[in-house]
Amino acid sequence: MRTKRFLKTQAIAASLLAPFAAPVLAQDLSVDTLIKGGTVYDGSEGRPFIGDVAIGGDKIVFVGPAGKTRFNAKKTIDAKGMIVSPGFIDGHSHSEHFLDNPNAQQRQAPAYLTQGVSTVIIGVDGGGLPELKDQFAKYEQQGVGINMASYVGYGTIRKRVIGNDARAPTANELATEKELVVKGMCEGALGLSTGLFYAPQSFAKTDEIVDLAKEAAKRGGIYDTHQRDESSYSIGIIASTKEVLQIGREANIPVHFSHIKALGKDVWGKSAEVIKLIDDAKAAGQNVTANHYPWTASQTYLESALVPRWVIDGGYAAMIKRFDDPALMPRIKTEMADNLRRRNGPHSILFTVQGRPWTGKYLDEVAKEWKIDPIDAAIRILRQTQNEFIVSFNMSQHDVDNFMRQPWAVTSSDGVPGHPREWATFSIKYADYVKKRHVITLGFFIRHSTGLAADMYMLDRRGYLKTGYYADVLVFDPNNYAPKADFVHTDLPSTGVLDLLVNGALAIDNGKMTDVLSGRPLLHAPSAGTCL
Ligand SMILES: [Zn+2]
């Protein structure tokens, strides 16, 4: 794509042909792109400096104080007054719908690029495929705009081997599940992801997960989890946190909490207790980390939020069948009402999927319109839709701030269509939490969105502005970097990203998206001798 060596050759040729040219010409460093005079945050804990960053091919070839080195650059970006940092890394993304898209513009993953994100972690919540090579080969062949790394997902595996039933695997089934974890790990997965909150993954007992996590551990992987309970649904957030730590200890694997939060009124304020459990485990030598998103509203499926798990046993059709059984309805409704209370009542559930009669309305508004009880309204919607996404306002600002400040928590979007976090997570974290509310500093924000994340996800030569590292480089305007998406218009691009290079190519050039598809699959190398 780029003629990396052209300018170097040209510079040498010019100096040979013109012996009376300024002698400094031969010493100029020939590069493809020079980002000049910006405020450089290199992804480490070091202090920012006014500096130059130069790129040749897909690598960073120079990072240093401004003006000390002379360059012969094919393209120069004047970054005076701008922030220059590594491209952001999204620790928990559902960007597959962009990456798999038949439309090349969609495959650029505009939601991510326009926030400054150059790398996403996918296959989360137990959703990753064991056939990673095929998936990544397709991305490489069709071209995508961002880099991605993936987990192998427990949910995919359990559904294939056991289906939707609420039971433990037989010995044979467990062996098959293990084989699929091994397959994923040996095809380059970062580790094993689970979403134990969701049926049918919720039907797994701890020992089954430990057995599978051991296979990921042997191959140098990590355990990433949307834990069993972030609230008071089943075992409660404290017991659930302990379960994650137990899985880490017993499988001898680093554990990573996905979108760590305290969800629902019953557990508001519990962030302190969760943080203490994690800090104690770390002090005892365990490797524990997390990602989090800067929103007090989550997003999930209507059935996951409100319907008890025993009602979902067997899948959607089985749920509808139970709705049709008048003998069961009183208990179902009572338990659904309790789940709704837990989530802050009917005015905390917002429908954002486009094109429905209830789009843009809260559950209480829909119920009022239909002149029925909110639970009956929810059941009516459940009967008409499967996996209806909802936005659920259920977190306390105090807990969100508290998790964000932890030295072991990196940024993630958990982005899905219908919640502004897909288009505006990194920009809102900067605009609201750094600039407006001063919850964290700019340096903390960048470190926890770049280098620290690259370390946690074991991404080879990513996340830092260092010579020899891949050129994922972001230039943004500290005065204009801000979200535009909100809960009404969830898919508006953020403002203020001026330039974003992905593997050395400009995906955003002077504030505008190019049509470059320079993202790459990032494969984890399994421990030597574990994949024969
Ligand atoms: Zn999740």
Side-chain angles (χ1 to χ4, degrees), residues 287-298:
N287 185 338
V288 189
T289 55
N291 64 68
H292 82 96
Y293 57 73
W295 304 89
T296 54
S298 70

Side-chain angles (χ1 to χ4, degrees), residues 92 94 124-125 194-195 198 225-226 230 258-259 261 414:
H92 184 103
H94 294 278
V124 294
D125 291 335
T194 66
Y198 296 104
T225 186
H226 176 160
E230 297 171 323
S258 262
H259 45 61
K261 66 170 86 66
D414 197 8

